[in-house]
Amino acid sequence: MYLENVKNMWSNINLKNMWKKSSSIPPAEGARERFSGKEQVLGQVQGLGIRRRWKNLGKKPKIFLTSILTLFILFLLIDVLFPFSAKIEHSQIVTDSNGRILHAFLTSDDKWRMKTELEEITPELQTAIVFKEDKWFYYHLGVNPLAITRAAFNNIFKGKRTSGASTITMQVARLLQPKSRTYFNKILEMFHALQLEWHFSKKEILQLYLNLVPYGGNIEGVKSAAVLYFDKAPNHLSIAEITTLAIIPNRPTSLLLGKNNEAVKTARNEWLQRFQASKVFDQQAIEDALTEPLNAKRLESPRIAPHFAYRMKYEHPNEPIIKTTLQYNQQLKVEKLVSNYIQRIYHQRITNAAVLILNNQTNQVEAYVGSADFFNSEASGQVDGVRSNRSPGSTLKPFLYGLAFDKGLLTPKHKISDVPTNFTGYSPVNYSGDYNGLVTIEYALANSLNVPAVKVLDEMGVDYFLHKLSDAGFRYIKRNQSNLGLSVALGGCGVRLDELTALYAAFANKGKIREPQWIVGDTAQVNVPIMSESAAFIVTEILTQLTRPDLPKNIESSMNLPKIAWKTGTSYGRKDAWSVGYNGNYTIGVWCGNFSGEGVPDLTGATVATPLLFNIFNSIDYQSQTAWFQAPKDLDLRWVCSESGLPPNEHCSEQVMDYYLPLVSNNLKCQHYQEVRLNPDESHAYCTSCSPTLGFKKKIFPNYPPEIIAYYEKENIPYDKIPPHNPKCERVFSDVAAAPRITSPVNGLEYLIDPHDNTQLMLSCNAPSSTEKVYWYINDRFFQSATSTENLFFEPKEGKNKITCVDDKGRKEYIWVEVKSL
């Protein structure tokens, strides 16, 4: 305390003000002025009374004070030249949001040396340690002269050590830099103790002691002992447990907890009686402590959330205590659910799963399971499934459609074609292998149809979609953006479970994505808008529907079906099964599969990942009372034609209500139905050029896209077909938009053929329903005529080939392909 008072004394000397007073003297212009200024400065110093007091002191006091001051200056000089390091390598520990230890790591020298924080040093722990080890701890400067004198006297005159002289501060110095016991090293230890007292407060020195005190084996520090013997934090220890930990450091080899507890208990009670005699603690507290049993034993170090702990250790290598947002009980519950679930399906050769849980209110990570069993080397259990790049299957489709809503390309009831389509050489196939013709966007998303998704991406632009995914934090996509194409809509890229879960949390956060919060107190949270609140709400409404193929069949009639919005995904080859869901409280991401990359026929998002997702929701948020998402104010409803999803015209008799974004969504009138003039027997159709003034009839026909007509014709699906055009019409049609579209071969592609195998290329096109016949030309030479839905084959020549398709109204399209021999 004296040394602290000395520090305060020095800090209170206002040298700055003294300098100001002396410097306020006007500059001298000559010798007289300088001398006069000197007299003024001396007068100020004399005003302090220092000179007069020093004059009145005797010779011996002056020598004493001068010696003290010299020694003090010498101490400061040595302290600067030879600083004493109090740096401690602690065992890194990862805690949950309430400070409970989840996982601990050994130091580089294989010690358990967990850091005891100041707030964990309770008054009882502080009192017991100080009373036992150093009663004068708060009154000396790091060295107790009386204790040293007593110890020296006993060593010299009694020939043996009867009492120790080391203060707590000296013990800290010895524990920080262990040395052999010699007189020189003892003197060095005392000097280091003075250095510690100069640089640290008494609380901090006591904290250093509690972090270093040995407990036998590789256990050092009160916190390590409390956790590994009592499974408690230091601030939760009882008086009996505190006393136990206070006595062991003096006899760490003979008083081993878990091996000779009776001897430890006897020694503990002896010290409790000393505490009682000295009235260190309350009488009743001592009596309770004396009767408390001692059942301590060496426990395993905490190993909860190992993947998460290693991730935090890697990201925060210099933090002795990493305080995370995980919830201890929730983490244990989810780990157990995942482990039990994988055990049940292990025989299906599905060996692993990963789960991430985000709290949608706080954006904090509350549970993190990297694999079903960290210690299962056969299943590569140490791989972290949350951070592994895997194919996402169809899980990016909700984001794709949400962006399309925001660009005004689509609304939920908008109709899109689901038929075999070739996108410049890429021909996606639906998961089921079937096609549905014209479907609504909400049906396409709820049923996870592949062809409509790729068609939307093609219309939106791949670069735009990839840019938005990069903004949303998808690392693989950002690195490989130039190498990705249309297949990204169906999982042709790599994503991580934490990235995907954060993306789905954005739907619950009004279209704003946030970096998940891993550490308590992390305030660097930025909301990045990736779509509008209206688009996010529409996607949520679609993903909440229960009439969909990815609802597990054994859950359809369950009373415990959670109310969530969710989407599944299955990667190509059935190597990855995904299911990500959210409600007002949580977003949960689930991945199932094998880290080896082995595909399994039974592995799908619907049948494997979704049951686990539902189990977790029912476990942590059963029958949630949180209000469901509400439609934002800038989202509106309108009537649309049920056949096209566009605002109706005068021919649209069947209409439905549809969400739309005012000033954003497409307002083009429906063109699905068209009025056609026919001859009386309806065998021919008239155009405006050849229609007679009398003797015709009007009829409404659906105006199907060419690819739908081709699909209907191929599958023999009946539809209202417009009769052939009047053969006597002399009009020349020049409507380029209605010209046939060549779908095979693909314009601009290079084809490799075997010259010995007579390889042929297919000719096919899509044309309006009014087109009866098309005429094919190869390199400007007529090849063959066919119906608009008929496929032809030809043997191409090596080099560039021009292919032209002309319909029966003179409209045409041509493409170029290059053919090379193998």
Side-chain angles (χ1 to χ4, degrees):
M1 295 295 291
Y2 175 78
L3 197 55
E4 290 181 2
N5 292 333
V6 172
K7 290 183 186 178
N8 294 333
M9 181 186 74
W10 278 96
S11 65
N12 289 330
I13 296 177
N14 199 332
L15 297 175
K16 186 176 181 181
N17 289 337
M18 291 178 65
W19 168 253
K20 281 184 177 179
K21 288 179 182 178
S22 64
S23 62
S24 63
I25 303 169
E29 297 178 3
R32 185 181 58 80
E33 287 83 356
R34 286 197 296 271
F35 182 78
S36 175
K38 184 177 181 181
E39 282 187 334
Q40 291 180 38
V41 173
L42 288 174
Q44 290 181 13
V45 174
Q46 287 172 351
L48 296 173
I50 297 174
R51 187 173 182 180
R52 185 174 62 254
R53 292 176 186 175
W54 179 259
K55 226 177 202 183
N56 294 334
L57 284 175
K59 185 176 181 181
K60 289 184 178 180
K62 285 182 179 180
I63 293 173
F64 176 76
L65 290 175
T66 303
S67 300
I68 292 296
L69 183 59
T70 302
L71 288 173
F72 180 67
I73 294 173
L74 183 62
F75 165 76
L76 293 179
L77 181 61
I78 297 174
D79 180 61
V80 172
L81 295 176
F82 304 97
F84 183 68
S85 174
K87 187 176 181 181
I88 303 174
E89 182 192 359
H90 293 100
S91 297
Q92 274 195 297
I93 58 175
V94 180
T95 72
D96 77 341
S97 60
N98 296 314
R100 189 166 182 178
I101 298 176
L102 296 169
H103 205 96
F105 298 93
L106 287 165
T107 60
S108 61
D109 57 349
D110 291 332
K111 300 286 187 182
W112 290 115
R113 193 184 296 122
M114 304 177 193
K115 183 179 180 180
T116 304
E117 296 185 283
L118 287 173
E119 58 266 25
E120 292 180 307
I121 304 174
T122 62
E124 293 81 7
L125 176 60
Q126 177 181 332
T127 301
I129 294 294
V130 171
F131 181 84
K132 182 183 177 300
E133 293 294 329
D134 186 1
K135 293 185 182 67
W136 302 99
F137 175 64
Y138 292 106
Y139 303 98
H140 58 64
L141 304 176
V143 178
N144 188 338
L146 294 177
I148 291 175
T149 303
R150 183 181 65 249
F153 178 83
N154 290 335
N155 289 340
I156 294 171
F157 295 101
K158 295 186 178 181
K160 61 179 181 179
R161 180 186 175 190
T162 59
S163 62
S166 292
T167 62
I168 286 178
T169 314
M170 291 171 66
Q171 292 183 60
V172 171
R174 184 170 64 250
L175 290 168
L176 284 168
Q177 292 186 7
K179 289 181 174 64
S180 59
R181 290 179 179 270
T182 64
Y183 288 111
F184 175 78
N185 286 339
K186 179 61 72 172
I187 294 171
L188 194 60
E189 184 181 297
M190 288 188 283
F191 183 78
H192 289 330
L194 293 174
Q195 288 181 294
L196 287 170
E197 291 279 351
W198 178 250
H199 290 284
F200 298 96
S201 68
K202 289 291 185 180
K203 280 186 178 181
E204 291 170 332
I205 292 171
L206 183 61
Q207 182 188 24
L208 287 170
Y209 174 79
L210 293 175
N211 283 326
L212 291 167
V213 62
Y215 283 94
N218 65 341
I219 299 177
E220 294 182 3
V222 166
K223 187 166 188 172
S224 300
V227 170
L228 296 176
Y229 285 122
F230 297 111
D231 193 24
K232 293 181 179 180
N235 53 344
H236 292 160
L237 294 171
S238 66
I239 297 293
E241 292 165 340
I242 288 173
T243 307
T244 301
L245 296 183
I247 64 173
I248 291 177
N250 297 118
R251 299 163 58 190
T253 55
S254 60
L255 296 180
L256 273 177
L257 281 171
K259 290 189 176 180
N260 48 356
N261 281 359
E262 285 303 316
V264 176
K265 184 177 180 181
T266 301
R268 180 200 74 180
N269 289 347
E270 288 176 2
W271 270 97
L272 283 170
Q273 289 166 356
R274 291 190 193 183
F275 292 158
Q276 187 178 34
S278 301
K279 297 182 179 180
V280 175
F281 296 115
D282 179 76
Q283 180 70 21
Q284 185 60 49
I286 294 292
E287 291 178 3
D288 292 340
L290 286 167
T291 59
E292 184 175 311
L294 180 61
N295 300 317
K297 62 178 181 179
R298 176 63 185 268
L299 305 171
E300 288 288 334
S301 62
R303 291 182 175 182
I304 300 170
H307 296 92
F308 176 75
Y310 275 100
R311 176 173 183 167
M312 294 297 101
K313 176 180 171 66
Y314 175 78
E315 294 179 359
H316 306 276
N318 300 318
E319 293 291 331
I321 301 176
I322 306 172
K323 300 176 182 178
T324 73
T325 59
L326 256 61
Q327 301 289 324
Y328 187 89
N329 293 329
Q330 189 161 289
Q331 176 69 25
L332 287 179
K333 189 183 296 183
V334 176
E335 283 187 5
K336 192 66 175 175
L337 283 171
V338 172
S339 176
N340 291 342
Y341 184 75
I342 291 300
Q343 286 179 26
R344 292 200 302 270
I345 63 175
Y346 205 89
H347 68 279
Q348 298 175 251
R349 293 186 294 112
I350 302 171
T351 60
N352 253 308
V355 173
L356 185 70
I357 298 179
L358 280 177
N359 186 311
N360 289 333
Q361 307 299 321
T362 64
N363 200 45
Q364 294 180 345
V365 177
E366 294 195 354
Y368 185 116
V369 179
S371 70
D373 183 358
F374 183 82
F375 301 100
N376 185 348
S377 58
E378 181 186 21
S380 304
Q382 294 189 6
V383 175
D384 186 353
V386 175
R387 290 193 289 173
S388 298
N389 272 309
R390 316 289 297 189
S391 168
S394 297
T395 54
L396 296 179
K397 289 176 182 175
F399 186 49
L400 169 66
Y401 285 111
L403 295 178
F405 293 145
D406 272 339
K407 288 182 76 69
L409 302 176
L410 310 169
T411 59
K413 302 294 185 184
H414 181 88
K415 285 290 184 74
I416 191 169
S417 57
D418 175 34
V419 297
T421 308
N422 189 308
F423 297 93
T424 318
Y426 177 55
S427 301
V429 179
N430 287 331
Y431 180 80
S432 64
D434 299 325
Y435 300 92
N436 302 273
L438 282 174
V439 297
T440 63
I441 291 298
E442 63 180 357
Y443 181 90
L445 176 54
N447 289 268
S448 197
L449 301 179
N450 289 342
V451 176
V454 176
K455 189 169 186 177
V456 170
L457 178 57
D458 187 49
E459 185 175 356
M460 178 192 296
V462 175
D463 288 342
Y464 176 79
F465 184 54
L466 295 177
H467 178 73
K468 297 296 284 188
L469 285 170
S470 297
D471 289 346
F474 286 82
R475 299 166 179 82
Y476 176 92
I477 292 173
K478 188 172 185 177
R479 292 194 307 267
N480 299 277
Q481 189 167 340
S482 60
N483 300 322
L484 300 175
L486 290 172
S487 64
V488 73
L490 311 182
C493 58
V495 305
R496 296 172 19 162
L497 182 59
D498 52 359
E499 298 168 344
L500 198 59
T501 307
L503 178 67
Y504 275 72
F507 293 118
N509 189 38
K510 302 179 180 180
K512 299 180 180 68
I513 195 167
R514 298 174 289 180
E515 175 69 23
Q517 185 177 342
W518 310 91
I519 304 297
V520 170
D522 181 9
T523 57
Q525 297 293 310
V526 180
N527 286 323
V528 179
I530 55 173
M531 69 176 62
S532 68
E533 183 181 356
S534 297
F537 175 79
I538 294 173
V539 170
T540 298
E541 288 294 284
I542 296 172
L543 297 184
T544 310
Q545 296 178 14
L546 296 179
T547 307
R548 49 199 283 185
D550 59 353
L551 180 68
K553 293 181 172 56
N554 58 340
I555 297 181
E556 289 178 0
S557 58
S558 172
M559 297 294 290
N560 299 327
L561 186 66
K563 181 174 176 55
I564 60 172
W566 88 97
K567 181 72 183 75
T568 63
T570 305
S571 68
Y572 180 77
R574 301 200 178 191
K575 299 177 180 180
D576 307 279
W578 305 81
S579 192
V580 189
Y582 59 94
N583 60 13
N585 292 327
Y586 296 102
T587 298
I588 302 176
V590 173
W591 170 88
C592 295
N594 298 303
F595 290 135
S596 64
E598 178 188 358
V600 180
D602 295 332
L603 184 64
T604 68
T607 59
V608 176
T610 300
L612 179 56
L613 175 73
F614 287 178
N615 288 342
I616 295 172
F617 262 111
N618 284 331
S619 177
I620 70 171
D621 199 28
Y622 181 65
Q623 293 184 345
S624 173
Q625 300 301 311
T626 304
W628 194 248
F629 305 99
Q630 299 297 314
K633 293 180 179 179
D634 56 353
L635 182 65
D636 210 344
L637 288 165
R638 69 182 180 186
W639 289 102
V640 296
C641 173
S642 62
E643 295 295 331
S644 67
L646 295 172
N649 63 21
E650 65 275 13
H651 302 303
C652 301
S653 57
E654 300 292 332
Q655 300 179 20
V656 294
M657 293 293 291
D658 188 22
Y659 281 116
Y660 80 107
L661 280 66
L663 305 178
V664 175
S665 298
N666 189 351
N667 281 319
L668 291 176
K669 290 287 186 180
C670 174
Q671 300 294 323
H672 178 71
Y673 290 107
Q674 58 178 326
E675 186 180 76
V676 179
R677 294 184 179 187
L678 305 174
N679 61 355
D681 62 1
E682 299 185 6
S683 60
H684 291 99
Y686 296 119
C687 65
T688 54
S689 297
C690 64
S691 175
T693 55
L694 296 173
F696 64 88
K697 57 193 308 186
K698 294 180 181 180
K699 190 175 180 180
I700 303 297
F701 286 91
N703 186 22
Y704 291 115
E707 66 268 20
I708 291 293
I709 294 172
Y711 172 72
Y712 287 166
E713 292 285 348
K714 182 179 179 181
E715 300 296 326
N716 295 317
I717 298 174
Y719 66 99
D720 287 338
K721 186 175 182 180
I722 299 176
H725 189 66
N726 178 16
K728 297 180 180 180
C729 180
E730 297 180 354
R731 175 186 173 187
V732 176
F733 291 86
S734 59
D735 185 5
V736 177
R741 291 286 174 259
I742 299 174
T743 57
S744 178
V746 178
N747 187 32
L749 282 193
E750 183 180 283
Y751 291 84
L752 299 178
I753 63 172
D754 185 350
H756 306 292
D757 196 27
N758 297 323
T759 306
Q760 294 185 325
L761 296 183
M762 184 177 75
L763 299 173
S764 65
C765 70
N766 288 333
S769 59
S770 59
T771 301
E772 286 289 313
K773 221 171 197 182
V774 294
Y775 304 88
W776 292 95
Y777 293 80
I778 308 298
N779 294 320
D780 294 329
R781 298 185 65 178
F782 178 70
F783 173 67
Q784 194 173 329
S785 63
T787 63
S788 60
T789 58
E790 185 180 353
N791 296 331
L792 300 178
F793 293 87
F794 77 102
E795 292 184 17
K797 293 181 179 180
E798 191 170 350
K800 288 190 175 182
N801 288 261
K802 180 183 179 183
I803 300 170
T804 307
C805 182
V806 183
D807 68 6
D808 50 13
K809 297 178 178 58
R811 296 168 296 201
K812 66 179 180 179
E813 181 183 67
Y814 66 88
I815 64 169
W816 290 90
V817 296
E818 187 164 357
V819 177
K820 292 183 177 180
S821 297
L822 290 172

